[in-house]
Amino acid sequence: MPPFEPADAAQRSVERRKARAELKGQLSRLERDVVTTFDEAENTSDPILAGLRVDWFLRSLPGVGPTKATRILDRHGINPRATLGGLRAKQRAALRNEVVRLAERIQPASRQGIVVVIAGPTAVGKHTVIERVREIRPDIAMSVSATTRQARPGEHDGEDYFFVSDQEFDRLVREGELLEWAVVHGAHRYGTPRDAVLKQKSAGKTVFLEIDVQGARQIRESGIEALFVFIAPPTFDALAERLESRGTEDDAERQRRLATAVEELGARTEFDVVVVNDVVETAAREVVDLLEAYTPRGD
Ligand code: 5GP
């Protein structure tokens, strides 16, 4: 161990203070995404970010003064000296919802993009409707999910999904890299990468999440503002027929998917809108009209 040098220690302390001031400056000038920074602090090896006091973090945000920061900390029983990297899981989750709301207020809602959650039972034709919507509106981005299922012929890693191992999926969950995740059809895990969605949203893009009902619920609980669209079949029989004629699943898998479909259909009332996919063109136009009429709440 090198001898303790007071001059070195003082120098390091000055550097740390400078780096912290720079970080706060970036946050206040909106050069760094607020929510992403908050999330990164959980597992970072960067002592500046992990060691940033929560009240300083909050006070760097435009429109948040000492009184407001103290009120937020009090509300969640967080010690004023707590650091971003040292929050307990429950405090972190509660504070995160506040940070998401603050971030949406800082960046005017009109400049934020729209997150659109699209769910609906298997074989309802979600994908076809989405593809048609994106032909009409090529500016719309798709969130690419991570999944533990195998790629089907013709699917490409990084385009249709990120095909990952069970261990890699565990890591994504553990490190908080997923905005939501679920076991779908009782078989494989699927999850939405957090950063990509939040970045696209703050860059003003409209981003579609084609996920299942359990995932949609988690997005709602996360506090992120989103438009929730449920694609429904005209009738249950129509759905069963479509699944059969698609022929991509064996009998057991088809039965499993139909059982999930019954459950999912029951969740339609939890969504902002239900679009019936009888004719693809009509359903797609309906989604496009919804997007055009949608004004983010911004709160
Ligand atoms: P498939 O295996 O046919 O590609 O997808 C099955 C279902 O998984 C999709 O219909 C969709 O509802 C769901 N899914 C795909 N990606 C995600 C995801 O990131 N999160 C959740 N919760 N569900 C997903």
Side-chain angles (χ1 to χ4, degrees), residues 1-19:
M1 182 111 94
F4 176 69
E5 286 289 347
D8 284 358
Q11 175 68 20
R12 271 200 303 277
S13 151
V14 168
E15 277 166 13
R16 268 203 304 272
R17 220 170 307 144
K18 250 167 78 186

Side-chain angles (χ1 to χ4, degrees), residues 22 25 31 47 60 83 85 91 118 125 132 156 161 210 227 231 238 242 262 264 290 297:
E22 173 60 18
E31 289 166 9
S60 330
T83 58
Q91 293 176 328
I118 304 204
R132 180 65 194 126
H156 299 288
Y161 285 102
E210 187 190 338
L227 173 65
I231 310 274
R242 256 185 233 177
V262 174
E264 296 216 325
L290 274 169
R297 222 181 38 232

